[in-house]
Amino acid sequence: MPIRSPTSCGRSLSTRSATAPAARPTRRCTASTFTTRTNTTARRSSGATAGKTKEPKCLTATHPARGPRDLPERSGSRPRGGRFLVAAERLRRLEAGTMKKKLGLLIVLLSLFLVGSYVYQQQAGYAGGFEVSISTPQGNDILVDRLVFDDSWSTLGGRINCCWGGIGGTRGISDHPIPQTVFVRWRQIDEEIVYEGTVELPGDLAQQVRKLPEITWISDGRKGRSTYFVIGMEADGRITVWLSNALSDDNVEGRVFKVVATGQAVGRHEPTPEDLVR
């Protein structure tokens, strides 16, 4: 038997390796891979349909090292990131529901606050803003030193000599309820008398203010209403308090100007300072 050289043997081995056939794909047939295929053929004479024939349909798969399996994807599989999207959607719905609950609670609290505020204002005597003015008979020269309401807050004073039953200079009040008392101190300049007195106002004065009617401007037909308190002082110490819904009778219809309280001040003699003597 002839002996082959190593060189020829190596060439023979390499030749065999190069010409070796490629691996064939493996065919697998399982019970779950069978499908039913219906072939319909027309018979020559009767035209009846042929019966159903079952034929196995095998799935072809290669070795994992040589390529991916040629298998269909599962029908129930979710795309990548599906769980994150579902969780985000649930969180969004939860936040939306929580926001609706918070908004509803806020509306309820705001309604309770408004109702409570209205009840408190009614009980405390609030009836909106009003204006205060002072008055004296024509020619009576006086100096109003103090004008205090409810022993807690004060407003304008000054020197006047006219406008009895009328409204002169006013000061608007918006942060106080309708007063229950008014204290006034003024000086009769010519008589050299200083008067002091307190007037009790009606307990239902706030209700009277709320019931004041509207006025109508004759020139253009506009409607409106204001609230005025006028404190009048006379030379004999008499105090009169009026309530009105308009500044004057000029160009208006429906004006109310009524007395709501009166009182008597106590006077004492006191020389008038020289700087007040004209």
Side-chain angles (χ1 to χ4, degrees):
M1 181 177 181
I3 300 174
R4 296 182 181 180
S5 63
T7 305
S8 61
C9 182
R11 284 197 299 269
S12 177
L13 291 175
S14 62
T15 303
R16 289 182 181 180
S17 299
T19 59
R24 295 181 179 180
T26 304
R27 296 176 61 84
R28 296 185 301 135
C29 295
T30 62
S32 61
T33 59
F34 283 102
T35 59
T36 303
R37 185 173 59 187
T38 304
N39 297 322
T40 305
T41 58
R43 293 187 177 181
R44 296 178 181 177
S45 58
S46 61
T49 58
K52 298 180 180 179
T53 59
K54 292 185 179 180
E55 179 179 304
K57 184 178 180 180
C58 299
L59 302 178
T60 302
T62 59
H63 195 275
R66 298 184 181 180
R69 293 181 179 270
D70 188 13
L71 297 175
E73 295 183 357
R74 290 181 297 176
S75 60
S77 62
R78 293 178 179 175
R80 183 175 297 178
R83 293 182 179 179
F84 174 77
L85 295 177
V86 171
E89 179 65 18
R90 290 179 179 176
L91 180 60
R92 186 190 66 80
R93 293 180 180 179
L94 180 61
E95 290 179 349
T98 304
M99 185 61 66
K100 289 181 180 179
K101 291 181 180 179
K102 290 182 178 180
L103 183 59
L105 180 60
L106 180 61
I107 293 175
V108 171
L109 293 177
L110 181 60
S111 301
L112 292 176
F113 172 76
L114 293 177
V115 172
S117 177
Y118 174 77
V119 173
Y120 169 76
Q121 290 183 4
Q122 294 291 316
Q123 294 178 351
Y126 283 89
F130 55 92
E131 298 189 48
V132 177
S133 181
I134 54 178
S135 175
T136 194
Q138 184 72 30
N140 185 37
D141 193 9
I142 66 173
L143 175 65
V144 180
D145 183 31
R146 296 197 66 190
L147 191 61
V148 182
F149 294 89
D150 294 335
D151 296 326
S152 59
W153 58 276
S154 60
T155 183
L156 62 85
R159 187 169 181 171
I160 59 174
N161 60 3
C162 70
C163 311
W164 182 254
I167 301 176
T170 63
R171 178 182 176 184
I173 307 297
S174 60
D175 55 349
H176 294 287
I178 301 300
Q180 296 297 305
T181 63
V182 54
F183 168 82
V184 60
R185 182 173 68 193
W186 77 95
R187 180 187 295 273
Q188 292 288 142
I189 294 177
D190 295 335
E191 292 82 0
E192 296 186 339
I193 299 175
V194 175
Y195 283 104
E196 291 183 352
T198 300
V199 178
E200 297 287 338
L201 302 177
D204 64 342
L205 186 57
Q207 296 181 7
Q208 295 186 42
V209 170
R210 298 187 189 102
K211 293 180 180 179
L212 284 174
E214 290 185 334
I215 60 171
T216 303
W217 277 269
I218 299 174
S219 58
D220 54 12
R222 290 184 299 113
K223 295 183 179 296
R225 189 191 68 181
S226 300
T227 303
Y228 297 92
F229 288 107
V230 183
I231 292 86
M233 293 146 282
E234 299 182 71
D236 59 357
R238 186 173 178 82
I239 304 171
T240 304
V241 181
W242 290 276
L243 172 64
S244 181
N245 62 346
L247 191 63
S248 68
D249 292 315
D250 296 338
N251 192 37
V252 297
E253 291 181 348
R255 186 190 186 215
V256 174
F257 193 84
K258 64 179 182 178
V259 176
V260 293
T262 59
Q264 180 64 47
V266 177
R268 67 177 186 274
H269 181 268
E270 185 176 305
T272 302
E274 294 183 0
D275 59 340
L276 296 178
V277 178
R278 294 180 178 177

